[in-house]
PDB file of all heavy atoms in Angstrom:
ATOM      1  N   THR A 551     -23.980-123.993-108.334  1.00 94.00           N
ATOM      2  CA  THR A 551     -24.645-124.447-109.553  1.00 94.00           C
ATOM      3  C   THR A 551     -25.934-125.164-109.146  1.00 94.00           C
ATOM      4  O   THR A 551     -26.106-125.540-107.980  1.00 94.00           O
ATOM      5  CB  THR A 551     -23.754-125.419-110.344  1.00 94.00           C
ATOM      6  OG1 THR A 551     -23.606-126.638-109.591  1.00 94.00           O
ATOM      7  CG2 THR A 551     -22.374-124.808-110.602  1.00 94.00           C
ATOM      8  N   PRO A 552     -26.850-125.390-110.092  1.00 95.00           N
ATOM      9  CA  PRO A 552     -28.091-126.093-109.743  1.00 95.00           C
ATOM     10  C   PRO A 552     -27.870-127.465-109.118  1.00 95.00           C
ATOM     11  O   PRO A 552     -28.698-127.942-108.349  1.00 95.00           O
ATOM     12  CB  PRO A 552     -28.806-126.215-111.094  1.00 95.00           C
ATOM     13  CG  PRO A 552     -28.344-125.024-111.856  1.00 95.00           C
ATOM     14  CD  PRO A 552     -26.903-124.857-111.467  1.00 95.00           C
ATOM     15  N   ALA A 553     -26.730-128.100-109.413  1.00 94.00           N
ATOM     16  CA  ALA A 553     -26.454-129.432-108.854  1.00 94.00           C
ATOM     17  C   ALA A 553     -26.043-129.375-107.388  1.00 94.00           C
ATOM     18  O   ALA A 553     -26.080-130.398-106.699  1.00 94.00           O
ATOM     19  CB  ALA A 553     -25.359-130.119-109.674  1.00 94.00           C
ATOM     20  N   ASP A 554     -25.651-128.205-106.907  1.00 94.00           N
ATOM     21  CA  ASP A 554     -25.198-128.082-105.519  1.00 94.00           C
ATOM     22  C   ASP A 554     -26.383-128.057-104.560  1.00 94.00           C
ATOM     23  O   ASP A 554     -27.470-127.578-104.889  1.00 94.00           O
ATOM     24  CB  ASP A 554     -24.399-126.790-105.327  1.00 94.00           C
ATOM     25  CG  ASP A 554     -23.073-126.818-106.069  1.00 94.00           C
ATOM     26  OD1 ASP A 554     -22.427-127.875-106.066  1.00 94.00           O
ATOM     27  OD2 ASP A 554     -22.705-125.782-106.651  1.00 94.00           O
ATOM     28  N   HIS A 555     -26.140-128.555-103.345  1.00 94.00           N
ATOM     29  CA  HIS A 555     -27.117-128.390-102.273  1.00 94.00           C
ATOM     30  C   HIS A 555     -26.993-126.970-101.719  1.00 94.00           C
ATOM     31  O   HIS A 555     -25.936-126.345-101.821  1.00 94.00           O
ATOM     32  CB  HIS A 555     -26.893-129.416-101.163  1.00 94.00           C
ATOM     33  CG  HIS A 555     -27.440-130.769-101.501  1.00 94.00           C
ATOM     34  ND1 HIS A 555     -26.871-131.570-102.467  1.00 94.00           N
ATOM     35  CD2 HIS A 555     -28.510-131.459-101.023  1.00 94.00           C
ATOM     36  CE1 HIS A 555     -27.563-132.696-102.560  1.00 94.00           C
ATOM     37  NE2 HIS A 555     -28.554-132.656-101.699  1.00 94.00           N
ATOM     38  N   ILE A 556     -28.077-126.493-101.147  1.00 94.00           N
ATOM     39  CA  ILE A 556     -28.047-125.164-100.546  1.00 94.00           C
ATOM     40  C   ILE A 556     -26.987-125.166 -99.445  1.00 94.00           C
ATOM     41  O   ILE A 556     -27.010-126.025 -98.558  1.00 94.00           O
ATOM     42  CB  ILE A 556     -29.429-124.788 -99.977  1.00 94.00           C
ATOM     43  CG1 ILE A 556     -30.437-124.653-101.140  1.00 94.00           C
ATOM     44  CG2 ILE A 556     -29.368-123.492 -99.188  1.00 94.00           C
ATOM     45  CD1 ILE A 556     -31.855-124.346-100.710  1.00 94.00           C
ATOM     46  N   PRO A 557     -26.029-124.246 -99.492  1.00 91.00           N
ATOM     47  CA  PRO A 557     -24.900-124.270 -98.548  1.00 91.00           C
ATOM     48  C   PRO A 557     -25.345-124.205 -97.094  1.00 91.00           C
ATOM     49  O   PRO A 557     -26.338-123.547 -96.751  1.00 91.00           O
ATOM     50  CB  PRO A 557     -24.089-123.025 -98.933  1.00 91.00           C
ATOM     51  CG  PRO A 557     -24.466-122.746-100.346  1.00 91.00           C
ATOM     52  CD  PRO A 557     -25.908-123.154-100.466  1.00 91.00           C
ATOM     53  N   ALA A 558     -24.603-124.904 -96.246  1.00 89.00           N
ATOM     54  CA  ALA A 558     -24.888-124.893 -94.815  1.00 89.00           C
ATOM     55  C   ALA A 558     -24.597-123.512 -94.233  1.00 89.00           C
ATOM     56  O   ALA A 558     -23.747-122.775 -94.732  1.00 89.00           O
ATOM     57  CB  ALA A 558     -24.052-125.944 -94.097  1.00 89.00           C
ATOM     58  N   VAL A 559     -25.318-123.175 -93.194  1.00 88.00           N
ATOM     59  CA  VAL A 559     -25.146-121.883 -92.517  1.00 88.00           C
ATOM     60  C   VAL A 559     -24.266-122.090 -91.289  1.00 88.00           C
ATOM     61  O   VAL A 559     -24.530-122.985 -90.474  1.00 88.00           O
ATOM     62  CB  VAL A 559     -26.511-121.296 -92.095  1.00 88.00           C
ATOM     63  CG1 VAL A 559     -26.316-119.998 -91.315  1.00 88.00           C
ATOM     64  CG2 VAL A 559     -27.390-121.055 -93.317  1.00 88.00           C
ATOM     65  N   TYR A 560     -23.251-121.279 -91.154  1.00 84.00           N
ATOM     66  CA  TYR A 560     -22.390-121.326 -89.966  1.00 84.00           C
ATOM     67  C   TYR A 560     -22.754-120.135 -89.087  1.00 84.00           C
ATOM     68  O   TYR A 560     -22.369-119.005 -89.350  1.00 84.00           O
ATOM     69  CB  TYR A 560     -20.912-121.305 -90.377  1.00 84.00           C
ATOM     70  CG  TYR A 560     -20.534-122.502 -91.194  1.00 84.00           C
ATOM     71  CD1 TYR A 560     -20.515-122.442 -92.580  1.00 84.00           C
ATOM     72  CD2 TYR A 560     -20.228-123.711 -90.564  1.00 84.00           C
ATOM     73  CE1 TYR A 560     -20.192-123.567 -93.335  1.00 84.00           C
ATOM     74  CE2 TYR A 560     -19.905-124.834 -91.317  1.00 84.00           C
ATOM     75  CZ  TYR A 560     -19.892-124.753 -92.701  1.00 84.00           C
ATOM     76  OH  TYR A 560     -19.587-125.874 -93.451  1.00 84.00           O
ATOM     77  N   TYR A 561     -23.558-120.429 -88.059  1.00 80.00           N
ATOM     78  CA  TYR A 561     -24.121-119.370 -87.220  1.00 80.00           C
ATOM     79  C   TYR A 561     -23.101-118.901 -86.198  1.00 80.00           C
ATOM     80  O   TYR A 561     -22.537-119.704 -85.449  1.00 80.00           O
ATOM     81  CB  TYR A 561     -25.368-119.913 -86.523  1.00 80.00           C
ATOM     82  CG  TYR A 561     -26.107-118.892 -85.691  1.00 80.00           C
ATOM     83  CD1 TYR A 561     -26.667-117.760 -86.267  1.00 80.00           C
ATOM     84  CD2 TYR A 561     -26.263-119.075 -84.316  1.00 80.00           C
ATOM     85  CE1 TYR A 561     -27.350-116.835 -85.514  1.00 80.00           C
ATOM     86  CE2 TYR A 561     -26.951-118.154 -83.549  1.00 80.00           C
ATOM     87  CZ  TYR A 561     -27.490-117.033 -84.157  1.00 80.00           C
ATOM     88  OH  TYR A 561     -28.164-116.121 -83.397  1.00 80.00           O
ATOM     89  N   ALA A 562     -22.868-117.599 -86.181  1.00 76.00           N
ATOM     90  CA  ALA A 562     -21.834-117.046 -85.292  1.00 76.00           C
ATOM     91  C   ALA A 562     -22.370-116.666 -83.915  1.00 76.00           C
ATOM     92  O   ALA A 562     -21.599-116.366 -83.006  1.00 76.00           O
ATOM     93  CB  ALA A 562     -21.203-115.814 -85.937  1.00 76.00           C
ATOM     94  N   GLY A 563     -23.694-116.690 -83.751  1.00 71.00           N
ATOM     95  CA  GLY A 563     -24.271-116.291 -82.467  1.00 71.00           C
ATOM     96  C   GLY A 563     -24.302-117.436 -81.475  1.00 71.00           C
ATOM     97  O   GLY A 563     -23.696-118.491 -81.671  1.00 71.00           O
ATOM     98  N   THR A 564     -25.031-117.228 -80.375  1.00 68.00           N
ATOM     99  CA  THR A 564     -25.162-118.272 -79.361  1.00 68.00           C
ATOM    100  C   THR A 564     -26.229-119.273 -79.787  1.00 68.00           C
ATOM    101  O   THR A 564     -27.144-118.951 -80.528  1.00 68.00           O
ATOM    102  CB  THR A 564     -25.558-117.666 -78.009  1.00 68.00           C
ATOM    103  OG1 THR A 564     -26.787-116.934 -78.171  1.00 68.00           O
ATOM    104  CG2 THR A 564     -24.486-116.719 -77.510  1.00 68.00           C
ATOM    105  N   GLY A 565     -26.082-120.496 -79.322  1.00 71.00           N
ATOM    106  CA  GLY A 565     -27.054-121.522 -79.672  1.00 71.00           C
ATOM    107  C   GLY A 565     -26.679-122.230 -80.961  1.00 71.00           C
ATOM    108  O   GLY A 565     -25.678-121.922 -81.605  1.00 71.00           O
ATOM    109  N   ASN A 566     -27.509-123.181 -81.341  1.00 81.00           N
ATOM    110  CA  ASN A 566     -27.261-123.971 -82.546  1.00 81.00           C
ATOM    111  C   ASN A 566     -28.566-124.121 -83.313  1.00 81.00           C
ATOM    112  O   ASN A 566     -29.281-125.113 -83.145  1.00 81.00           O
ATOM    113  CB  ASN A 566     -26.695-125.345 -82.156  1.00 81.00           C
ATOM    114  CG  ASN A 566     -26.304-126.166 -83.356  1.00 81.00           C
ATOM    115  OD1 ASN A 566     -25.998-125.620 -84.422  1.00 81.00           O
ATOM    116  ND2 ASN A 566     -26.324-127.476 -83.206  1.00 81.00           N
ATOM    117  N   PRO A 567     -28.909-123.157 -84.165  1.00 89.00           N
ATOM    118  CA  PRO A 567     -30.173-123.229 -84.904  1.00 89.00           C
ATOM    119  C   PRO A 567     -30.266-124.512 -85.719  1.00 89.00           C
ATOM    120  O   PRO A 567     -29.310-124.875 -86.412  1.00 89.00           O
ATOM    121  CB  PRO A 567     -30.097-121.997 -85.826  1.00 89.00           C
ATOM    122  CG  PRO A 567     -29.160-121.062 -85.143  1.00 89.00           C
ATOM    123  CD  PRO A 567     -28.140-121.946 -84.491  1.00 89.00           C
ATOM    124  N   PRO A 568     -31.378-125.226 -85.641  1.00 92.00           N
ATOM    125  CA  PRO A 568     -31.489-126.515 -86.345  1.00 92.00           C
ATOM    126  C   PRO A 568     -31.603-126.337 -87.855  1.00 92.00           C
ATOM    127  O   PRO A 568     -32.075-125.310 -88.344  1.00 92.00           O
ATOM    128  CB  PRO A 568     -32.779-127.109 -85.763  1.00 92.00           C
ATOM    129  CG  PRO A 568     -33.594-125.913 -85.386  1.00 92.00           C
ATOM    130  CD  PRO A 568     -32.597-124.904 -84.888  1.00 92.00           C
ATOM    131  N   ASP A 569     -31.146-127.353 -88.576  1.00 94.00           N
ATOM    132  CA  ASP A 569     -31.380-127.402 -90.022  1.00 94.00           C
ATOM    133  C   ASP A 569     -32.882-127.605 -90.238  1.00 94.00           C
ATOM    134  O   ASP A 569     -33.519-128.384 -89.533  1.00 94.00           O
ATOM    135  CB  ASP A 569     -30.591-128.564 -90.628  1.00 94.00           C
ATOM    136  CG  ASP A 569     -30.781-128.664 -92.132  1.00 94.00           C
ATOM    137  OD1 ASP A 569     -30.002-128.036 -92.869  1.00 94.00           O
ATOM    138  OD2 ASP A 569     -31.716-129.369 -92.561  1.00 94.00           O
ATOM    139  N   LEU A 570     -33.444-126.914 -91.219  1.00 96.00           N
ATOM    140  CA  LEU A 570     -34.898-126.934 -91.406  1.00 96.00           C
ATOM    141  C   LEU A 570     -35.378-127.897 -92.488  1.00 96.00           C
ATOM    142  O   LEU A 570     -36.574-127.969 -92.752  1.00 96.00           O
ATOM    143  CB  LEU A 570     -35.394-125.514 -91.752  1.00 96.00           C
ATOM    144  CG  LEU A 570     -35.163-124.439 -90.688  1.00 96.00           C
ATOM    145  CD1 LEU A 570     -35.747-123.108 -91.152  1.00 96.00           C
ATOM    146  CD2 LEU A 570     -35.778-124.840 -89.353  1.00 96.00           C
ATOM    147  N   SER A 571     -34.457-128.647 -93.080  1.00 96.00           N
ATOM    148  CA  SER A 571     -34.838-129.525 -94.188  1.00 96.00           C
ATOM    149  C   SER A 571     -35.979-130.473 -93.812  1.00 96.00           C
ATOM    150  O   SER A 571     -36.902-130.692 -94.596  1.00 96.00           O
ATOM    151  CB  SER A 571     -33.636-130.344 -94.657  1.00 96.00           C
ATOM    152  OG  SER A 571     -32.553-129.528 -94.993  1.00 96.00           O
ATOM    153  N   LEU A 572     -35.906-131.052 -92.620  1.00 96.00           N
ATOM    154  CA  LEU A 572     -36.881-132.068 -92.198  1.00 96.00           C
ATOM    155  C   LEU A 572     -37.650-131.643 -90.950  1.00 96.00           C
ATOM    156  O   LEU A 572     -38.222-132.483 -90.263  1.00 96.00           O
ATOM    157  CB  LEU A 572     -36.164-133.394 -91.935  1.00 96.00           C
ATOM    158  CG  LEU A 572     -35.355-133.972 -93.102  1.00 96.00           C
ATOM    159  CD1 LEU A 572     -34.594-135.207 -92.644  1.00 96.00           C
ATOM    160  CD2 LEU A 572     -36.256-134.315 -94.266  1.00 96.00           C
ATOM    161  N   ILE A 573     -37.675-130.349 -90.667  1.00 96.00           N
ATOM    162  CA  ILE A 573     -38.246-129.883 -89.402  1.00 96.00           C
ATOM    163  C   ILE A 573     -39.721-130.248 -89.253  1.00 96.00           C
ATOM    164  O   ILE A 573     -40.180-130.549 -88.146  1.00 96.00           O
ATOM    165  CB  ILE A 573     -38.055-128.354 -89.240  1.00 96.00           C
ATOM    166  CG1 ILE A 573     -38.325-127.919 -87.807  1.00 96.00           C
ATOM    167  CG2 ILE A 573     -38.906-127.584 -90.228  1.00 96.00           C
ATOM    168  CD1 ILE A 573     -37.324-128.426 -86.807  1.00 96.00           C
ATOM    169  N   THR A 574     -40.485-130.263 -90.341  1.00 96.00           N
ATOM    170  CA  THR A 574     -41.912-130.557 -90.205  1.00 96.00           C
ATOM    171  C   THR A 574     -42.175-132.048 -90.000  1.00 96.00           C
ATOM    172  O   THR A 574     -43.285-132.430 -89.627  1.00 96.00           O
ATOM    173  CB  THR A 574     -42.712-130.067 -91.431  1.00 96.00           C
ATOM    174  OG1 THR A 574     -42.200-130.688 -92.615  1.00 96.00           O
ATOM    175  CG2 THR A 574     -42.614-128.557 -91.564  1.00 96.00           C
ATOM    176  N   LYS A 575     -41.166-132.880 -90.251  1.00 95.00           N
ATOM    177  CA  LYS A 575     -41.293-134.306 -89.928  1.00 95.00           C
ATOM    178  C   LYS A 575     -40.723-134.609 -88.558  1.00 95.00           C
ATOM    179  O   LYS A 575     -41.065-135.618 -87.942  1.00 95.00           O
ATOM    180  CB  LYS A 575     -40.577-135.156 -90.984  1.00 95.00           C
ATOM    181  CG  LYS A 575     -41.188-135.072 -92.370  1.00 95.00           C
ATOM    182  CD  LYS A 575     -40.569-136.054 -93.325  1.00 95.00           C
ATOM    183  CE  LYS A 575     -41.042-137.464 -93.057  1.00 95.00           C
ATOM    184  NZ  LYS A 575     -40.601-138.408 -94.115  1.00 95.00           N
ATOM    185  N   ALA A 576     -39.869-133.720 -88.073  1.00 93.00           N
ATOM    186  CA  ALA A 576     -39.238-133.928 -86.766  1.00 93.00           C
ATOM    187  C   ALA A 576     -40.097-133.402 -85.626  1.00 93.00           C
ATOM    188  O   ALA A 576     -39.788-133.644 -84.458  1.00 93.00           O
ATOM    189  CB  ALA A 576     -37.876-133.240 -86.727  1.00 93.00           C
ATOM    190  N   ARG A 577     -41.162-132.686 -85.929  1.00 94.00           N
ATOM    191  CA  ARG A 577     -42.045-132.128 -84.904  1.00 94.00           C
ATOM    192  C   ARG A 577     -43.457-132.650 -85.106  1.00 94.00           C
ATOM    193  O   ARG A 577     -43.929-132.778 -86.238  1.00 94.00           O
ATOM    194  CB  ARG A 577     -42.055-130.586 -84.964  1.00 94.00           C
ATOM    195  CG  ARG A 577     -40.690-129.939 -84.743  1.00 94.00           C
ATOM    196  CD  ARG A 577     -40.186-130.117 -83.326  1.00 94.00           C
ATOM    197  NE  ARG A 577     -38.941-129.386 -83.100  1.00 94.00           N
ATOM    198  CZ  ARG A 577     -37.725-129.879 -83.314  1.00 94.00           C
ATOM    199  NH1 ARG A 577     -37.591-131.123 -83.781  1.00 94.00           N
ATOM    200  NH2 ARG A 577     -36.650-129.150 -83.081  1.00 94.00           N
ATOM    201  N   HIS A 578     -44.136-132.924 -83.993  1.00 92.00           N
ATOM    202  CA  HIS A 578     -45.528-133.372 -84.056  1.00 92.00           C
ATOM    203  C   HIS A 578     -46.376-132.258 -84.671  1.00 92.00           C
ATOM    204  O   HIS A 578     -46.228-131.094 -84.322  1.00 92.00           O
ATOM    205  CB  HIS A 578     -46.024-133.708 -82.649  1.00 92.00           C
ATOM    206  CG  HIS A 578     -47.438-134.197 -82.612  1.00 92.00           C
ATOM    207  ND1 HIS A 578     -47.858-135.322 -83.287  1.00 92.00           N
ATOM    208  CD2 HIS A 578     -48.539-133.697 -81.993  1.00 92.00           C
ATOM    209  CE1 HIS A 578     -49.139-135.508 -83.081  1.00 92.00           C
ATOM    210  NE2 HIS A 578     -49.585-134.539 -82.306  1.00 92.00           N
ATOM    211  N   GLU A 579     -47.253-132.637 -85.612  1.00 93.00           N
ATOM    212  CA  GLU A 579     -48.060-131.651 -86.336  1.00 93.00           C
ATOM    213  C   GLU A 579     -47.149-130.577 -86.936  1.00 93.00           C
ATOM    214  O   GLU A 579     -47.342-129.389 -86.723  1.00 93.00           O
ATOM    215  CB  GLU A 579     -49.106-131.022 -85.420  1.00 93.00           C
ATOM    216  CG  GLU A 579     -50.124-132.016 -84.872  1.00 93.00           C
ATOM    217  CD  GLU A 579     -51.152-131.369 -83.954  1.00 93.00           C
ATOM    218  OE1 GLU A 579     -50.821-131.116 -82.780  1.00 93.00           O
ATOM    219  OE2 GLU A 579     -52.275-131.103 -84.424  1.00 93.00           O
ATOM    220  N   GLY A 580     -46.168-131.051 -87.703  1.00 93.00           N
ATOM    221  CA  GLY A 580     -45.095-130.195 -88.199  1.00 93.00           C
ATOM    222  C   GLY A 580     -45.485-128.862 -88.803  1.00 93.00           C
ATOM    223  O   GLY A 580     -45.038-127.813 -88.321  1.00 93.00           O
ATOM    224  N   PRO A 581     -46.296-128.822 -89.864  1.00 96.00           N
ATOM    225  CA  PRO A 581     -46.655-127.531 -90.467  1.00 96.00           C
ATOM    226  C   PRO A 581     -47.362-126.602 -89.484  1.00 96.00           C
ATOM    227  O   PRO A 581     -47.072-125.402 -89.433  1.00 96.00           O
ATOM    228  CB  PRO A 581     -47.588-127.921 -91.619  1.00 96.00           C
ATOM    229  CG  PRO A 581     -47.263-129.341 -91.912  1.00 96.00           C
ATOM    230  CD  PRO A 581     -46.878-129.957 -90.602  1.00 96.00           C
ATOM    231  N   GLU A 582     -48.273-127.179 -88.708  1.00 97.00           N
ATOM    232  CA  GLU A 582     -49.003-126.373 -87.722  1.00 97.00           C
ATOM    233  C   GLU A 582     -48.053-125.871 -86.629  1.00 97.00           C
ATOM    234  O   GLU A 582     -48.202-124.756 -86.130  1.00 97.00           O
ATOM    235  CB  GLU A 582     -50.129-127.200 -87.098  1.00 97.00           C
ATOM    236  CG  GLU A 582     -51.261-127.559 -88.036  1.00 97.00           C
ATOM    237  CD  GLU A 582     -50.957-128.759 -88.921  1.00 97.00           C
ATOM    238  OE1 GLU A 582     -49.867-129.376 -88.744  1.00 97.00           O
ATOM    239  OE2 GLU A 582     -51.789-129.076 -89.785  1.00 97.00           O
ATOM    240  N   TYR A 583     -47.086-126.730 -86.262  1.00 97.00           N
ATOM    241  CA  TYR A 583     -46.106-126.337 -85.241  1.00 97.00           C
ATOM    242  C   TYR A 583     -45.280-125.150 -85.727  1.00 97.00           C
ATOM    243  O   TYR A 583     -45.078-124.172 -84.990  1.00 97.00           O
ATOM    244  CB  TYR A 583     -45.196-127.518 -84.910  1.00 97.00           C
ATOM    245  CG  TYR A 583     -43.978-127.132 -84.093  1.00 97.00           C
ATOM    246  CD1 TYR A 583     -44.070-126.955 -82.713  1.00 97.00           C
ATOM    247  CD2 TYR A 583     -42.744-126.923 -84.700  1.00 97.00           C
ATOM    248  CE1 TYR A 583     -42.961-126.585 -81.965  1.00 97.00           C
ATOM    249  CE2 TYR A 583     -41.632-126.551 -83.961  1.00 97.00           C
ATOM    250  CZ  TYR A 583     -41.742-126.383 -82.587  1.00 97.00           C
ATOM    251  OH  TYR A 583     -40.650-125.999 -81.867  1.00 97.00           O
ATOM    252  N   VAL A 584     -44.774-125.222 -86.957  1.00 97.00           N
ATOM    253  CA  VAL A 584     -43.957-124.131 -87.499  1.00 97.00           C
ATOM    254  C   VAL A 584     -44.777-122.841 -87.548  1.00 97.00           C
ATOM    255  O   VAL A 584     -44.305-121.774 -87.121  1.00 97.00           O
ATOM    256  CB  VAL A 584     -43.439-124.488 -88.910  1.00 97.00           C
ATOM    257  CG1 VAL A 584     -42.777-123.277 -89.559  1.00 97.00           C
ATOM    258  CG2 VAL A 584     -42.455-125.639 -88.824  1.00 97.00           C
ATOM    259  N   TYR A 585     -45.993-122.928 -88.036  1.00 97.00           N
ATOM    260  CA  TYR A 585     -46.853-121.739 -88.116  1.00 97.00           C
ATOM    261  C   TYR A 585     -47.125-121.166 -86.722  1.00 97.00           C
ATOM    262  O   TYR A 585     -47.008-119.950 -86.501  1.00 97.00           O
ATOM    263  CB  TYR A 585     -48.174-122.090 -88.801  1.00 97.00           C
ATOM    264  CG  TYR A 585     -49.210-121.001 -88.688  1.00 97.00           C
ATOM    265  CD1 TYR A 585     -49.195-119.900 -89.542  1.00 97.00           C
ATOM    266  CD2 TYR A 585     -50.208-121.057 -87.711  1.00 97.00           C
ATOM    267  CE1 TYR A 585     -50.133-118.891 -89.423  1.00 97.00           C
ATOM    268  CE2 TYR A 585     -51.143-120.059 -87.582  1.00 97.00           C
ATOM    269  CZ  TYR A 585     -51.106-118.976 -88.443  1.00 97.00           C
ATOM    270  OH  TYR A 585     -52.026-117.968 -88.318  1.00 97.00           O
ATOM    271  N   SER A 586     -47.469-122.038 -85.787  1.00 97.00           N
ATOM    272  CA  SER A 586     -47.807-121.583 -84.435  1.00 97.00           C
ATOM    273  C   SER A 586     -46.608-120.953 -83.746  1.00 97.00           C
ATOM    274  O   SER A 586     -46.735-119.930 -83.063  1.00 97.00           O
ATOM    275  CB  SER A 586     -48.334-122.761 -83.604  1.00 97.00           C
ATOM    276  OG  SER A 586     -49.480-123.326 -84.193  1.00 97.00           O
ATOM    277  N   LEU A 587     -45.437-121.565 -83.913  1.00 97.00           N
ATOM    278  CA  LEU A 587     -44.229-121.030 -83.285  1.00 97.00           C
ATOM    279  C   LEU A 587     -43.917-119.635 -83.818  1.00 97.00           C
ATOM    280  O   LEU A 587     -43.612-118.717 -83.058  1.00 97.00           O
ATOM    281  CB  LEU A 587     -43.051-121.964 -83.536  1.00 97.00           C
ATOM    282  CG  LEU A 587     -41.745-121.588 -82.842  1.00 97.00           C
ATOM    283  CD1 LEU A 587     -41.843-121.877 -81.345  1.00 97.00           C
ATOM    284  CD2 LEU A 587     -40.566-122.352 -83.437  1.00 97.00           C
ATOM    285  N   LEU A 588     -44.020-119.465 -85.134  1.00 97.00           N
ATOM    286  CA  LEU A 588     -43.663-118.183 -85.744  1.00 97.00           C
ATOM    287  C   LEU A 588     -44.651-117.076 -85.401  1.00 97.00           C
ATOM    288  O   LEU A 588     -44.301-115.895 -85.427  1.00 97.00           O
ATOM    289  CB  LEU A 588     -43.574-118.338 -87.265  1.00 97.00           C
ATOM    290  CG  LEU A 588     -42.433-119.223 -87.769  1.00 97.00           C
ATOM    291  CD1 LEU A 588     -42.528-119.396 -89.285  1.00 97.00           C
ATOM    292  CD2 LEU A 588     -41.082-118.632 -87.390  1.00 97.00           C
ATOM    293  N   THR A 589     -45.890-117.450 -85.103  1.00 97.00           N
ATOM    294  CA  THR A 589     -46.904-116.444 -84.786  1.00 97.00           C
ATOM    295  C   THR A 589     -47.247-116.401 -83.303  1.00 97.00           C
ATOM    296  O   THR A 589     -48.157-115.675 -82.897  1.00 97.00           O
ATOM    297  CB  THR A 589     -48.203-116.721 -85.580  1.00 97.00           C
ATOM    298  OG1 THR A 589     -48.696-118.033 -85.246  1.00 97.00           O
ATOM    299  CG2 THR A 589     -47.961-116.647 -87.081  1.00 97.00           C
ATOM    300  N   GLY A 590     -46.517-117.181 -82.475  1.00 96.00           N
ATOM    301  CA  GLY A 590     -46.913-117.333 -81.074  1.00 96.00           C
ATOM    302  C   GLY A 590     -46.157-116.507 -80.059  1.00 96.00           C
ATOM    303  O   GLY A 590     -46.394-116.640 -78.854  1.00 96.00           O
ATOM    304  N   TYR A 591     -45.250-115.637 -80.497  1.00 96.00           N
ATOM    305  CA  TYR A 591     -44.488-114.821 -79.541  1.00 96.00           C
ATOM    306  C   TYR A 591     -45.428-113.875 -78.795  1.00 96.00           C
ATOM    307  O   TYR A 591     -46.333-113.274 -79.385  1.00 96.00           O
ATOM    308  CB  TYR A 591     -43.413-114.020 -80.270  1.00 96.00           C
ATOM    309  CG  TYR A 591     -42.261-114.857 -80.753  1.00 96.00           C
ATOM    310  CD1 TYR A 591     -42.317-115.504 -81.983  1.00 96.00           C
ATOM    311  CD2 TYR A 591     -41.117-115.027 -79.980  1.00 96.00           C
ATOM    312  CE1 TYR A 591     -41.265-116.282 -82.437  1.00 96.00           C
ATOM    313  CE2 TYR A 591     -40.052-115.806 -80.425  1.00 96.00           C
ATOM    314  CZ  TYR A 591     -40.140-116.430 -81.653  1.00 96.00           C
ATOM    315  OH  TYR A 591     -39.094-117.211 -82.096  1.00 96.00           O
TER     316      TYR A 591
END
């Protein structure tokens, strides 16, 4: 329902993908970091 939070993801693969709710505050130059990472492969 609209009152619910977006359900957590239970990743079955290797590693532990981080929750992205606060990722741009958890990284220096957050928005630029996310953009650069996604386009930097």
Side-chain angles (χ1 to χ4, degrees):
T551 67
D554 292 320
H555 281 70
I556 294 177
V559 176
Y560 297 96
Y561 184 62
T564 57
N566 185 26
D569 180 90
L570 298 182
S571 305
L572 303 174
I573 194 67
T574 58
K575 295 187 75 171
R577 300 292 185 271
H578 181 60
E579 297 180 281
E582 292 81 4
Y583 168 81
V584 171
Y585 169 81
S586 301
L587 185 73
L588 293 175
T589 59
Y591 288 86

